[in-house]
Amino acid sequence: MANERIATQIDYAQAWTPEGFCSTFGFRPAENGFTKEINGTEFKFKQIKTPGELLQGQEVLRQGFGWKDIEIPPVHILALFEDTGGGCFSALDVNGQAVGFAGGMGGGTDKITGKPTLISSMLAMKGTDYRSAGIGKELKIIQAYYAKKSGYESMKWLYDPERGENASVNMRKLGARAEEFWPDKYGRMHSEVFGGVPTDRFRAVWRYTEPDVINRAAGISKPPTMEDLKDVAAATESDLPETDKVLVEISANIDSIKSDEEKIKRRLKLRKILSHYFLERNYIATEFISEKAEGTRKNYYLLERANAILTKT
């Protein structure tokens, strides 16, 4: 099991090779893919290529994002992802039905390493029952395995900074960092999940070949706790501390807010804080902390000055 391994047992140079991948991340080889047991249920993970498989992937996107048909990439576009060095991937249940989807394409450059990077454009689960099942993390790891075979050592993707469950997968479980902030990146989307609010986005960057990141993805190292960060100041709309580290709170559960008007109000407050630190002061988000205290969940990003962090990469 992942929590039984220790960092000294991992051969980081072999972690993403066919020889070391399964032992590092707890998968088992299977025909045309891998299997892994998650919370007592076994799932199969595979790269998908045929029209029928990609149609199942479309349905996951439809249910996972609540997208209208016009916003779902057609099969002939999804089929091209592999030609760029990327690909499409599914998590399958015991009946062989797709319950998770990840897709990405080669393109772009890691601004720190200068090397080509994979752009992972979609990660979706089929309905709310699967969104917190732990499948998303494993799909990203499978995606990284195939990306490394194509010569990529990093991956980047956009996500909504107010979605704590996404931040938890991206930062707490995988070890990615949010290195850019984009106000209203896509304009308004016709999505049942995201609603009619501005599409502010973080760009997560996942340099999955780094030892510290492998330790996090393999479940060896743990994210910091609020106790660890008790001396770090928290930013608010009216108080923006100019310290090396700062905490920024987001909603405990953005979906519990039913009014678009209230969501927009909260978004604009958060935008003011993130714009100050990312666009004016050159900070990045290095960790995400999510804890319950007295029955109430608290979610915070830890922001740090980029110059101090990125020069160590």
Side-chain angles (χ1 to χ4, degrees):
M1 300 296 291
N3 59 2
E4 295 173 346
R5 296 191 296 273
I6 58 175
T8 55
Q9 293 177 318
I10 289 184
D11 184 340
Y12 299 111
Q14 295 294 312
W16 296 102
T17 66
E19 296 76 21
F21 176 70
C22 287
S23 61
T24 300
F25 298 105
F27 289 89
R28 293 185 298 276
E31 183 179 3
N32 298 321
F34 301 89
T35 62
K36 187 169 186 177
E37 185 177 297
I38 306 172
N39 298 323
T41 301
E42 187 165 282
F43 295 91
K44 183 174 183 179
F45 299 86
K46 62 177 294 189
Q47 185 172 15
I48 58 174
K49 303 182 180 184
T50 69
E53 292 173 330
L54 295 173
L55 282 170
Q56 281 200 47
Q58 283 185 316
E59 186 57 30
V60 173
L61 291 171
R62 180 178 288 107
Q63 294 192 34
F65 290 140
W67 280 349
K68 307 300 181 184
D69 285 347
I70 194 173
E71 293 179 318
I72 298 173
V75 166
H76 68 271
I77 297 299
L78 294 175
L80 295 176
F81 283 17
E82 184 184 7
D83 296 343
T84 70
C88 296
F89 304 87
S90 274
L92 309 175
D93 65 14
V94 292
N95 299 313
Q97 294 300 303
V99 296
F101 175 88
M105 63 200 84
T109 302
D110 186 321
K111 67 178 183 179
I112 301 304
T113 66
K115 296 180 180 180
T117 187
L118 188 84
I119 298 174
S120 176
S121 57
M122 291 165 244
L123 176 67
M125 303 301 120
K126 191 174 184 178
T128 56
D129 290 345
Y130 293 102
R131 278 168 57 182
S132 58
I135 299 171
K137 172 194 172 185
E138 310 305 341
L139 263 173
K140 298 302 290 187
I141 291 174
I142 291 292
Q143 192 179 18
Y145 171 74
Y146 285 94
K148 184 64 171 65
K149 289 176 67 174
S150 296
Y152 297 103
E153 296 184 2
S154 66
M155 193 184 303
K156 56 186 178 181
W157 59 88
L158 296 172
Y159 78 97
D160 186 340
E162 285 197 277
R163 293 203 161 267
E165 59 187 9
N166 289 6
S168 187
V169 172
N170 296 340
M171 305 181 78
R172 292 172 61 80
K173 296 181 180 180
L174 290 174
R177 298 187 302 228
E179 297 186 1
E180 298 176 49
F181 172 64
W182 296 77
D184 205 20
K185 175 69 173 178
Y186 306 125
R188 302 298 172 93
M189 298 180 70
H190 304 286
S191 167
E192 295 172 7
V193 175
F194 296 106
V197 298
T199 51
D200 293 6
R201 293 293 184 265
F202 269 159
R203 186 184 298 283
V205 181
W206 188 34
R207 298 183 181 91
Y208 47 81
T209 62
E210 296 179 358
D212 288 349
V213 177
I214 292 173
N215 287 343
R216 182 68 64 87
I220 292 168
S221 65
K222 302 299 180 184
T225 65
M226 286 306 301
E227 177 63 23
D228 297 328
L229 303 173
K230 62 184 179 182
D231 296 327
V232 178
T236 66
E237 188 182 19
S238 58
D239 183 13
L240 302 169
E242 296 295 331
T243 52
D244 289 340
K245 298 181 180 182
V246 63
L247 292 169
V248 176
E249 185 174 9
I250 65 167
S251 305
N253 179 5
I254 190 64
D255 290 328
S256 67
I257 302 172
K258 302 305 180 183
S259 163
D260 278 356
E261 182 180 359
E262 179 61 25
K263 287 181 180 179
I264 291 172
K265 185 186 300 183
R266 294 179 67 94
R267 172 136 301 187
L268 294 179
K269 288 182 178 179
L270 181 61
R271 179 189 290 181
K272 179 178 178 180
I273 298 171
L274 296 179
S275 294
H276 174 80
Y277 285 107
F278 278 79
L279 305 181
E280 300 174 17
R281 294 294 184 268
N282 197 30
Y283 284 66
I284 64 173
T286 57
E287 293 283 1
F288 181 72
I289 303 92
S290 182
E291 295 180 2
K292 274 190 174 181
E294 299 179 353
T296 301
R297 180 162 296 281
K298 292 288 188 178
N299 289 336
Y300 291 90
Y301 286 103
L302 174 65
L303 273 53
E304 301 187 60
R305 295 186 190 275
N307 292 342
I309 299 300
L310 297 180
T311 53
K312 298 177 183 178
T313 300

